[in-house]
Structures are given as C-alpha cells and as structure tokens.
Amino acid sequence: MAINVNTQRLLRILELTPALQNIMLVGRHGIGKSEILTHYYKQRGQRVVTLFLGQMSDPGDLIGLPRISDEKNLQNAVTQFIPPYWWPTDGQPVVLFLDELNRARPELLQTVMDLVLNRTLAGKRLPDGSRVIAAVNDGDEYQLTHLDPALVSRFNVYHFCPTAQEWLQWAESVGVDSRVVRFLTLEAHWLDGIEGEKAGIDTGLEKTPDRRAWKRLSDGIKPLADLSEDDLDWIAGIVGAQAASRFMGSLTGHAILTGAEVLQNFDACEPKLRKYLLHQLAIVNESIFRHLEVAADAAPAEYAQNLTRYFDLLTEMESNEAIAHLANLFESGSYPKAVLFVAEKCPLLAERLMNFIANL
C-alpha cells in the first residue's frame, strides 16, 4: 500500500527526489494534483508538460508521426518520427506530468515504459534534469487499465491525501467565494463528497462534490450578492444534489463570522461574537489564522489591534477552551506566516499565548 502524504509532505518529497527518480501520485480526481505540481515547478523556472494519457488513442499521439528521412534516396532512407508538439527543442529540462496513467491503452503503456526507464521516446532523449511524474486514480468508481508491476516498480509511489485545512488555506489565498469557504469550514466532510452520496443513480451519472467543483461553484456565484431557491438546480449540477441542498441551507441561517471580518471590523463583529458557543469560536479561531497565513504580508495596521481585542474578548468571556484552541493554533506550526505576524505585530499577545500554554 502506498504511503499517505498531504500537500506539505508532497512538497518536501518533490524537493528531495532526484530528477532521475520517477514519482507516481495515487488519488481521487479533482484534489489538485496537477495544480500543485505545476505551481511548484513553475516557481522554480521549470516548464511542466501535462499529457492526458486517457485521451490518447494510440502511441502516435505520444511519440509523434513517422516520416521518411530522405524521399529522394529511399534505398538509404530510414523512418524518423516528427517530434510531438510538447517535446523540448531548446535543450532545457522539463517536468513531464503523465496524468491518467491508469486510463491509458495498454499499447501506450509500453511506450511509457521506455520513457520512464530511459528518458527516451522514439529514439530521442529528454534533456538532462527532466523529470517524469505520473498521476493515477484509485477506486472502484473509475474505468481503469491494470498497470504492469514492472511499470509501477519504476516509480516512487505516494497516495496523495491533501487535508481540508490545506484546501481551505489555498481557497483563502486565491479568493474563493467566502460563502463556499464558510460552508466547507463548518462542514468539511462535503469537500470531497460523502461516501455513498449519489445523484442520478438511475442513469449511471453520479454527480458528487470535489475540490474542483467547489472552485467552479465559487467562480459562478461570485458575481451574485444573493442566491435563491431558483438557483438550486444550477448549483446541484456543479456539486451534486445533496451538497447543493446543504450549501443553500447554510445561507439561510446565521452564517458564522469569518476571520477576515473579525480582523477588518472588530467593532461590528463583537456583539455577535459575545453570543457564540465554543464550537463557533473555534471556527472563528481557525479562520483568523487561515486568513493571516495568506494576508499577513499585506495586512493593514488594524489587524494587529483587532486580533488583540479579540483575545481580550475571549478572556473577558472566560472562554478558556477557546483561548486554548487559539493558543494551540499559534503553537502547532500549521500557520507559520500567521505566527510570525503575531510575534512581530502583537508581541504582547504572543507572550500571553505562550504563557497560557505554559500554564496548562
């Protein structure tokens, strides 16, 4: 069984793995495998080429089309292959991302074997320093091709399981609609769908939520200040019927404040915060640290003041459990930029948090 890794551990694995060693990521669709890889290597100036092997009909789609080297001298001519569109012609190393490897036709997999073993394709060799990374889906719900153990043995294999916290932090950083972030903060089990939750079972078309779908929903609702029951069918087509129903239900109730709202306008939030129970304050705590993690570098001056006022409010409310949760977030190491912000901009608050932990 492949070892489970989250996003943080995957990034460390990418850093440690030599270019000549191949990596295989096992996981569900829509969890961000290609996005994470592309972002990581582009930051390091390397070109990422994504090939969807499940969409290729024969090896020619991968290796290019054949041609005769010299049509005027057929006796001495040989067959050559025109390089495919993605082939690096500038001599610079590339990261070749073979997506849907276990959806590829068997004849394509034979071509892949030479690529992962020798870094060659139709007699051409990839530039030194090039990498090969593959992604495969895992589960009975997929129509998959059995992978030869000899091919699998050429890869370091990891089961990619990004946490909900990592996705929510990413969502905050790219501006995913706050209604989506708030809902998934409260009901993170809907991020990748609930096992057994199905729609369209009579037709065989099952629509369940995944991370990609929640991003699509965010893109769709961002221009809309309000959503109504008339929008339910549209949303259900994106994330599935049950998830859509739960999401719409969350909008009709009293939405919990986000960390951004507390930090930006504490005065407006304070009356509502005073009425919160422990589980609601814990959600606010997490949201505050998640927001600081992505906004600390450009945080306005009032963030430090309002964060201190929020801590003072928890103290006044004698909510030691909520303070303990806030202190644990500060100490956990999950939000290094947020911790640095507190240490630099709110040194007295940082001291109070550390003293609280020491006295537990």
Side-chain angles (χ1 to χ4, degrees):
M1 180 179 292
I3 185 172
N4 292 341
V5 298
N6 58 20
T7 302
Q8 186 176 5
R9 291 181 178 177
L10 174 59
L11 295 178
R12 179 62 174 164
I13 287 167
L14 297 179
E15 179 184 347
L16 294 175
T17 304
L20 287 176
Q21 294 185 16
N22 309 307
I23 294 174
M24 179 183 292
L25 300 181
V26 183
R28 288 190 52 176
H29 64 280
I31 59 175
K33 298 184 290 292
S34 60
E35 290 87 349
I36 290 170
L37 291 173
T38 300
H39 180 72
Y40 177 85
Y41 286 109
K42 279 190 174 180
Q43 278 191 321
R44 286 151 183 78
Q46 285 192 267
R47 176 187 169 210
V48 179
V49 177
T50 301
L51 300 177
F52 295 97
L53 299 188
Q55 299 175 12
M56 296 183 176
S57 59
D58 61 58
D61 293 337
L62 182 61
I63 65 177
L65 298 176
R67 67 179 178 186
I68 299 174
S69 63
D70 189 350
E71 294 184 356
K72 296 181 179 180
N73 186 11
L74 295 180
Q75 185 175 356
N76 296 319
V78 295
T79 300
Q80 297 177 331
F81 285 86
I82 302 173
Y85 73 93
W86 56 266
W87 188 263
T89 57
D90 57 2
Q92 296 300 310
V94 297
V95 178
L96 196 57
F97 181 47
L98 306 178
D99 205 359
E100 303 178 339
L101 181 65
N102 59 342
R103 289 175 180 263
R105 295 172 178 267
E107 56 270 26
L108 270 168
L109 294 178
Q110 298 304 314
T111 303
V112 169
M113 178 70 87
D114 189 32
L115 189 60
V116 300
L117 180 60
N118 302 311
R119 294 293 194 275
T120 59
L121 197 61
K124 301 180 185 66
R125 185 173 179 83
L126 287 171
D128 291 342
S130 294
R131 298 175 180 270
V132 177
I133 300 176
V136 301
N137 295 129
D138 182 36
D140 296 334
E141 67 268 34
Y142 302 108
Q143 296 180 353
L144 305 175
T145 303
H146 177 70
L147 295 180
D148 190 316
L151 176 60
V152 176
S153 71
R154 305 297 179 185
F155 290 88
N156 303 341
V157 183
Y158 305 97
H159 197 283
F160 183 43
C161 307
T163 66
Q165 176 183 306
E166 289 172 332
W167 188 89
L168 288 167
Q169 186 173 318
W170 168 84
E172 189 94 31
S173 70
V174 299
V176 168
D177 189 274
S178 61
R179 290 164 290 188
V180 172
V181 173
R182 183 184 285 116
F183 171 69
L184 292 172
T185 298
L186 292 168
E187 301 198 48
H189 50 278
W190 284 108
L191 180 58
D192 298 308
I194 296 178
E195 189 174 353
E197 185 264 350
K198 293 183 177 180
I201 193 168
D202 292 336
T203 65
L205 299 175
E206 302 168 8
K207 185 58 190 175
T208 56
D210 57 48
R211 300 169 190 225
R212 187 183 298 139
W214 288 114
K215 178 60 168 61
R216 289 204 303 271
L217 176 60
S218 168
D219 293 342
I221 68 175
K222 259 193 170 183
L224 307 176
D226 297 300
L227 296 171
S228 70
E229 289 299 318
D230 292 336
D231 302 319
L232 182 59
D233 289 344
W234 168 54
I235 295 173
I238 302 173
V239 296
Q242 292 190 36
S245 179
R246 293 288 293 181
F247 173 72
M248 290 296 292
S250 73
L251 301 181
T252 60
H254 299 288
I256 292 179
L257 293 165
T258 66
E261 290 169 331
V262 173
L263 293 172
Q264 291 166 3
N265 193 346
F266 180 81
D267 287 333
C269 297
E270 182 178 359
K272 194 171 184 178
L273 288 169
R274 287 185 178 277
K275 299 177 182 178
Y276 276 2
L277 301 176
L278 174 60
H279 74 280
Q280 295 168 312
L281 291 171
I283 292 170
V284 174
N285 289 347
E286 191 87 41
S287 183
I288 285 174
F289 269 79
R290 193 167 58 241
H291 180 67
L292 282 176
E293 185 66 17
V294 300
D297 293 339
E302 62 264 25
Y303 272 27
Q305 179 182 358
N306 286 336
L307 180 58
T308 301
R309 293 179 66 191
Y310 174 68
F311 184 87
D312 290 340
L313 176 63
L314 295 181
T315 304
E316 180 186 335
M317 293 168 61
E318 298 183 352
S319 184
N320 288 335
E321 295 89 347
I323 295 174
H325 180 257
L326 193 70
N328 181 66
L329 292 173
F330 179 76
E331 189 186 43
S332 67
S334 299
Y335 301 101
K337 290 185 178 180
V339 170
L340 184 61
F341 173 87
V342 176
E344 290 184 345
K345 305 296 183 181
C346 318
L348 294 179
L349 174 58
E351 183 179 352
R352 293 167 71 184
L353 289 169
M354 290 186 290
N355 288 338
F356 186 89
I357 294 170
N359 292 326
L360 286 178

